[in-house]
Amino acid sequence: MNRSSYGWNVLLFVLTFFTLTFQDDIFRIPYLNFAAISEIFRIRTPYSFSLLGILFCHEMGHYLAARYYGIKSTLPYFLPVPFSPVGTMGAVIRIKEPIRNKIQLFDIGIWGPAMSLVLSIPCIVIGLYNSQLVSLAERTAILQAHPELMDIHFGDSILTYLLSQKILGPFDASLFTVEYNPLAFAGWVGLLITALNLLPFGQLDGGHVVYSLAGEGYRKWIYYLFSAFLLLSLWNYSWILWGLLIYYFIRVEHPFVPDASYPIGKFRKIFGWGMLLSFLLIFPISPITVVSSSGAKSSLGEDLWNILLEVFSK
């Protein structure tokens, strides 16, 4: 790797640190005094450092597995997003030569999400002990008093719902929401990024793993699974964008990789299917919802669900 490549790695890392720390305040920095900037650093750097650590370890899981097999790859490139409430689109490494067989593909693909999953769970567990419940009625009253404001609701997966109910509850999720502290929020984002990477399509980590385990036969049913994924847009319209990204750029099918000269083995099968099943626990159907003074607009899927509940309750 030449020096210019290291320069891009460092520059994107620094930019991502700033977008994680300042988020939508980043373009206000020239107008903020030193005390305000120091306060933002004090409050948000636990989130920035924690999430950067999760992302770095995720990508190093891929990188070290690739290096183990003697496959050239780059160090992580972090992806800053200044206007996002999250502050990043994650990080990537680039594999610079072909992966020789499905066992190498499996090991390179799985160790990234495995690392971020292992690190995200303790972050959200420890962070929840320092988080608090907030009344939705109070938030609605604030929005109605200040119509120019908007609130952002971070949705639950099965795992985050169970953890928040255990640590902060029990509570009625229709009356209260969790206000994550910075460490818990880093864990929530880490789980979201892990879940997105575990989607079983194309060049995503989950695509590497499911293709390694199921082999060429998976091409017979992967488009049915992709069609089922598109149905999630009934609950959150952002999945339409993800569907387009997967179809046109990431691709639904994985490119051909030869089988290894020996079986993939029982351990890898249990490890791989276990990671893919963990997706069901950590995937939030509606990850981010913007709430205005008129409230959160219900999705088509929620409306259909409520209609079914009314029909069958009569």
Side-chain angles (χ1 to χ4, degrees):
M1 184 182 294
N2 56 40
R3 291 183 180 180
S4 63
S5 297
Y6 283 115
W8 279 109
N9 295 112
V10 173
L11 176 62
L12 289 172
F13 178 87
V14 172
L15 289 176
T16 303
F17 170 76
F18 278 101
T19 58
L20 288 173
T21 303
F22 289 95
Q23 297 168 13
D24 54 356
D25 291 325
I26 195 163
F27 294 108
R28 296 177 54 234
I29 294 175
Y31 308 100
L32 298 175
N33 57 37
F34 179 78
I37 293 175
S38 298
E39 183 66 8
I40 290 174
F41 266 89
R42 185 187 68 81
I43 294 172
R44 294 182 182 170
T45 48
Y47 166 70
S48 305
F49 285 126
S50 299
L51 187 56
L52 283 171
I54 291 170
L55 296 176
F56 178 77
C57 290
H58 179 114
E59 296 307 322
M60 290 306 290
H62 295 313
Y63 177 82
L64 292 175
R67 298 303 297 161
Y68 175 80
Y69 288 112
I71 297 173
K72 294 180 181 178
S73 61
T74 66
L75 289 172
Y77 293 98
F78 289 82
L79 305 175
V81 182
F83 289 112
S84 166
V86 172
T88 182
M89 281 287 288
V92 296
I93 66 168
R94 187 165 67 89
I95 303 294
K96 302 178 74 173
E97 57 183 320
I99 296 173
R100 302 177 193 90
N101 59 61
K102 288 187 175 71
I103 288 182
Q104 293 182 2
L105 179 69
F106 176 91
D107 289 348
I108 293 169
I110 201 166
W111 281 108
M115 291 298 295
S116 56
L117 180 64
V118 166
L119 293 173
S120 297
I121 290 176
C123 282
I124 196 166
V125 169
I126 296 169
L128 278 172
Y129 281 102
N130 296 286
S131 301
Q132 61 183 348
L133 295 176
V134 177
S135 168
L136 289 173
E138 291 180 6
R139 285 197 170 187
T140 301
I142 293 172
L143 290 174
Q144 290 175 343
H146 303 278
E148 73 281 4
L149 298 178
M150 288 188 298
D151 195 11
I152 297 177
H153 176 71
F154 299 99
D156 273 321
S157 63
I158 294 173
L159 179 63
T160 58
Y161 175 79
L162 293 175
L163 288 175
S164 59
Q165 288 288 337
K166 176 69 175 178
I167 295 171
L168 298 173
F171 61 92
D172 188 340
S174 65
L175 299 177
F176 295 92
T177 187
V178 178
E179 188 173 273
Y180 292 116
N181 91 322
L183 182 61
F185 188 46
W188 184 90
V189 176
L191 289 174
L192 174 64
I193 290 174
T194 302
L196 292 174
N197 275 281
L198 283 173
L199 286 169
F201 307 117
Q203 297 281 22
L204 293 170
D205 298 340
H208 297 328
V209 173
V210 75
Y211 174 63
S212 301
L213 293 172
E216 298 302 320
Y218 105 118
R219 302 185 193 279
K220 298 177 182 178
W221 47 263
I222 192 62
Y223 278 95
Y224 294 109
L225 194 59
F226 180 66
S227 299
F229 168 74
L230 292 179
L231 291 176
L232 292 174
S233 60
L234 295 175
W235 276 265
N236 191 291
Y237 298 124
S238 65
W239 299 124
I240 297 175
L241 175 60
W242 272 96
L244 292 172
L245 288 173
I246 290 170
Y247 188 82
Y248 287 106
F249 298 101
I250 298 171
R251 302 298 183 185
V252 178
E253 292 188 49
H254 198 285
F256 174 77
V257 175
D259 290 330
S261 58
Y262 53 94
I264 198 165
K266 185 176 181 180
F267 171 78
R268 285 189 176 92
K269 288 180 180 179
I270 294 173
F271 186 19
W273 290 117
M275 283 296 299
L276 291 171
L277 287 174
S278 74
F279 168 85
L280 300 177
L281 295 176
I282 65 175
F283 181 75
I285 294 179
S286 292
I288 296 176
T289 304
V290 178
V291 183
S292 65
S293 57
S294 59
K297 181 176 174 56
S298 60
S299 65
L300 177 59
E302 290 170 333
D303 291 338
L304 291 173
W305 177 252
N306 290 331
I307 291 171
L308 288 173
L309 288 178
E310 290 179 6
V311 169
F312 286 105
S313 63
K314 291 181 180 178

